[in-house]
Amino acid sequence: VQLQASGGGLVQPGGSLRLSCGASGFPFDYYAMGWFRQAPGKEREIVSCMSSNDGTTYYADSVKGRFTISRDNAKNTVYLQMNSLKPEDTAVYRCATVYTAWTNSANPCSPSGYWGQGTLVTVSS
């Protein structure tokens, strides 16, 4: 099993980045996927997640309206488009497979075991 994240970097406030996470070694289209982040000195938090095949999504309030999660099951890849980036978005971002409980609107996704390595996003002028 491998999840390979890429796309991080240094961007100015207000800028955009697109993270990608390519998967191999498991049936990607059967798994819901999520993006998590961890800033220095802070706990890991869920950023966004997406169901395996019906397009259901969740966004943390802090990124709602700015970030968009998507996936291409034919390419075994999940994406995170990040727009209007803020300094507080600075963190290491990781993709992961997730369990979903969509009736829990507060936090419907939790890690289910497969993690990608982190990609650092730094938002600074």
Side-chain angles (χ1 to χ4, degrees):
V1 173
Q2 188 171 16
L3 292 170
Q4 185 74 33
S6 61
L10 173 64
V11 63
Q12 292 186 341
S16 298
L17 282 174
R18 188 196 196 201
L19 305 183
S20 299
C21 175
S24 61
F26 66 98
F28 178 78
D29 53 352
Y30 281 85
Y31 282 75
M33 297 296 299
W35 287 95
F36 297 79
R37 69 185 181 186
Q38 187 165 18
K42 294 188 177 181
E43 292 188 353
R44 185 183 67 204
E45 62 176 351
I46 178 79
V47 175
S48 180
C49 56
M50 188 171 192
S51 64
S52 60
N53 59 8
D54 70 0
T56 304
T57 59
Y58 164 83
Y59 296 94
D61 287 344
S62 58
V63 307
K64 203 172 293 183
R66 301 187 297 122
F67 290 11
T68 302
I69 190 171
S70 62
R71 63 190 294 161
D72 185 337
N73 285 348
K75 295 183 178 180
N76 285 3
T77 302
V78 61
Y79 305 96
L80 186 68
Q81 177 67 43
M82 305 185 295
N83 298 330
S84 302
L85 282 160
K86 304 175 180 180
E88 51 264 43
D89 295 316
T90 294
V92 174
Y93 287 71
R94 300 179 71 186
C95 57
T97 57
V98 295
Y99 296 117
T100 58
W102 296 112
T103 55
N104 179 5
S105 59
N107 188 2
C109 299
S110 58
S112 65
Y114 298 151
W115 286 94
Q117 92 292 1
T119 186
L120 176 62
V121 172
T122 303
V123 185
S124 175
S125 55

